[in-house]
């Protein structure tokens, strides 16, 4: 396995473990009257500051944010165990999650020579960790066991650091997923808009079938698989086709799967693939600032989820209409700003062979 894929897989594990801790802590407060405010506080601190910390990494700060983040998430579990004020606990776990996220994003992007799959695989680990953390909390698993799991994060963190080779600047120069004819600022802003829409739609996907623990596990696993698959397909078949599959392809499954789990899960997986698409687009225009690039996506996620803290559409029909109306501009935007598929090199490779044959004949004639 190539080094950059190893880094992506290691950070899949790291992300999985850190989300277990984060949602174990969050779920512990679900029965409290202030759970709404705690969740909003968590999202704002876990998502919004990532661009700032990413900027520090882009500028060469040598602090290992993944280690520091693990210390903070571990501290949050200790504080939870001793029943310290909930706000302090949430601040600790949210900032820890934020630091691990941005370090993993920056490292996977810098380690990979223009491939988005390692970063997509890293991000996908979070979905599996979220549902695992919720289950551990609801089933009453004691804090020390979760703390032990969280501390295990340090092992893959240090292994990933050993796999680093240089500063990765040459690797960053190889990200070419966006349409180079479109202005860079325009690409970043439009891709961020798609992230906002994706986050909003993610909360609004009709899943009235989701009533059991197994169904919840399948839902989150579908999200995780989709996120990773989006990166793999973008590298294999091109970003434009991947974007088309993940938007247009997902729509009928999401709409008609409201009451049917199997159909809905396909839609959720396809829809989740847009994560890798938007990250690849933004990184392509902020090549030497991968931390800031990832920060744009996390701010977009927060902005898209924010409306649901204040109002939630109850009607399935209205939800379906909103999802359809939001999908259309996203399809158009992604079609415009995604790079076109590369032309096959078969014709070009035939030319050197033909030239070589002609040179051979010329030499024979000269002799």
């Amino acid at each position: 396995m190539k080094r950059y894929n190893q880094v992506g897989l290691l950070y899949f594990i790291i992300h999985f473990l850190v989300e277990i801790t984060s949602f174990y802590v969050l779920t512990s407060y679900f029965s409290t009257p202030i759970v709404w405010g705690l969740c909003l506080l968590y999202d704002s601190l876990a998502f919004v500051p990532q661009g700032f910390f990413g900027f520090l990494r882009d500028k060469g700060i040598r602090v290992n944010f993944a280690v520091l983040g693990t210390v903070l998430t571990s501290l949050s579990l200790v504080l939870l165990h001793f029943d310290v004020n909930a706000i302090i606990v949430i601040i600790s776990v949210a900032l820890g999650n934020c630091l691990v996220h941005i370090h993993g994003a920056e490292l996977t992007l810098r380690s990979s020579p223009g491939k988005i799959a390692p970063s997509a695989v890293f991000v996908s680990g979070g979905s599996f960790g979220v549902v695992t953390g919720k289950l551990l909390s609801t089933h009453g698993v004691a804090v020390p066991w979760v703390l032990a799991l969280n501390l295990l994060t340090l092992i893959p963190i240090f292994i990933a650091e050993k796999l680093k080779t240089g500063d990765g600047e040459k690797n960053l120069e190889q990200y070419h997923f966006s349409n180079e004819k479109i202005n860079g600022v325009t690409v970043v802003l439009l891709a961020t808009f798609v992230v906002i829409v994706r986050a909003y739609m993610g909360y609004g996907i009709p899943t009235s079938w989701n009533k059991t623990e197994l169904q919840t596990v399948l839902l989150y696993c579908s999200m995780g698989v989709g996120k990773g698959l989006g990166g793999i397909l973008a590298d294999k078949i091109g970003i434009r086709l991947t974007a088309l599959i993940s938007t247009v392809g997902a729509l009928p499954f999401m709409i008609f799967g409201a009451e049917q789990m199997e159909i809905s899960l396909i839609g959720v997986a396809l829809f989740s693939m847009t994560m890798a698409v938007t990250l690849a687009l933004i990184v392509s225009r902020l090549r030497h600032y991968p931390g800031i690039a990832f920060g744009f996506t996390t701010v977009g996620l927060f902005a898209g989820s924010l409306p649901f803290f204040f109002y939630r559409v109850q009607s399935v029909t209205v939800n379906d209409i909103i999802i359809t109306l939001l999908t259309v501009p996203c399809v158009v935007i992604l079609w415009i700003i995604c790079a076109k598929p590369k032309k096959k090199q078969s014709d070009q490779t035939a030319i050197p062979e033909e030239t070589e044959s002609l040179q051979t004949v010329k030499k024979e004639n000269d002799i």
Side-chain angles (χ1 to χ4, degrees):
M1 185 185 291
K2 291 182 171 138
R3 275 181 177 242
Y4 55 83
N5 287 328
Q6 292 178 44
V7 173
L9 186 58
L10 285 167
Y11 265 90
F12 171 94
I13 298 169
I14 293 164
H15 194 187
F16 170 69
L17 292 173
V18 77
E19 292 297 353
I20 287 177
T21 297
S22 299
F23 279 82
Y24 176 90
V25 171
L26 265 179
T27 308
S28 300
Y29 295 112
F30 275 8
S31 59
T32 62
I34 59 169
V35 61
W36 174 87
L38 293 176
C39 288
L40 181 58
L41 176 64
Y42 174 84
D43 278 6
S44 61
L45 292 178
F47 290 128
V48 177
Q50 287 193 39
F52 169 73
F53 291 116
F55 170 77
L56 296 180
R57 287 291 301 177
D58 294 336
K59 288 299 182 181
I61 189 170
R62 293 293 178 262
V63 176
N64 190 314
F65 284 148
V67 173
L68 181 57
T70 301
V71 171
L72 287 174
T73 52
S74 299
L75 175 62
S76 72
L77 288 167
V78 175
L79 296 174
L80 176 67
H81 182 69
F82 288 104
D83 200 23
V84 176
N85 183 276
I87 294 176
I88 297 174
V89 176
I90 293 298
I91 290 174
S92 180
V93 76
L95 288 177
N97 186 295
C98 170
L99 291 170
V100 173
H101 257 88
I102 199 61
H103 195 93
E106 195 248 0
L107 185 57
T108 52
L109 288 168
R110 285 185 179 273
S111 299
S112 176
K115 304 287 184 184
I116 201 65
S119 295
V121 169
F122 146 62
V123 174
S124 71
S127 297
F128 301 96
V130 168
V131 70
T132 304
K134 287 183 176 181
L135 289 174
L136 292 181
S137 180
T138 54
H139 284 274
V141 174
V143 168
W145 291 105
V146 182
L147 179 60
L149 273 178
N150 192 67
L151 290 172
L152 282 177
T153 308
L154 294 170
I155 297 173
I157 286 174
F158 289 130
I159 294 173
E161 291 297 316
K162 292 290 184 181
L163 291 173
K164 279 198 314 184
T165 53
D167 58 9
E169 286 296 316
K170 289 184 179 178
N171 290 333
L172 294 174
E173 291 171 3
Q174 298 182 53
Y175 285 97
H176 298 287
F177 290 98
S178 66
N179 185 346
E180 298 292 340
K181 294 180 181 179
I182 308 296
N183 177 271
V185 174
T186 303
V187 169
V188 171
L189 292 178
L190 289 176
T192 304
F193 169 77
V194 175
V195 175
I196 294 171
V197 171
R198 179 174 70 84
Y200 178 85
M201 288 170 59
Y203 277 85
I205 293 175
T207 55
S208 56
W209 51 264
N210 185 17
K211 295 181 174 68
T212 68
E213 282 188 350
L214 176 60
Q215 289 171 333
T216 301
V217 170
L218 291 174
L219 175 62
Y220 279 93
C221 287
S222 180
M223 290 178 186
V225 169
K227 290 173 183 177
L229 187 59
I232 294 168
L233 288 180
D235 290 337
K236 295 291 184 183
I237 65 174
I239 192 167
R240 192 181 244 191
L241 183 55
T242 304
L244 196 63
I245 293 171
S246 63
T247 49
V248 177
L251 186 60
F253 290 99
M254 290 192 296
I255 291 176
F256 297 112
E259 303 291 338
Q260 190 69 33
M261 182 185 73
E262 295 81 2
I263 296 174
S264 182
L265 289 177
I266 296 172
V268 169
L270 291 172
F271 170 74
S272 299
M273 286 164 52
T274 56
M275 181 284 301
V277 171
T278 48
L279 176 59
L281 287 167
I282 297 174
V283 171
S284 295
R285 306 319 287 267
L286 295 171
R287 293 189 189 106
H288 298 289
Y289 299 94
I292 294 177
F294 195 78
F296 270 99
T297 66
T298 55
V299 169
L301 286 173
F302 175 73
S305 65
L306 196 56
F308 285 91
F309 283 98
F310 304 98
Y311 180 75
R312 188 178 291 269
V313 178
Q314 300 299 329
S315 170
V316 174
T317 303
V318 174
N319 235 336
D320 288 344
I321 292 171
I322 293 173
I323 287 174
T324 303
L325 292 176
L326 288 174
T327 297
V328 173
C330 287
V331 171
V332 175
I333 287 170
L334 291 174
W335 185 260
I336 292 172
I337 65 177
C338 284
K340 295 179 181 179
K342 293 180 181 179
K343 293 181 180 180
K344 293 183 179 180
Q345 299 295 318
S346 55
D347 294 337
Q348 296 179 9
T349 54
I351 295 173
E353 292 177 1
E354 182 180 348
T355 304
E356 186 178 347
S357 299
L358 289 172
Q359 289 174 348
T360 304
V361 171
K362 185 178 184 300
K363 286 181 180 179
E364 290 175 352
N365 290 336
D366 290 342
I367 294 171

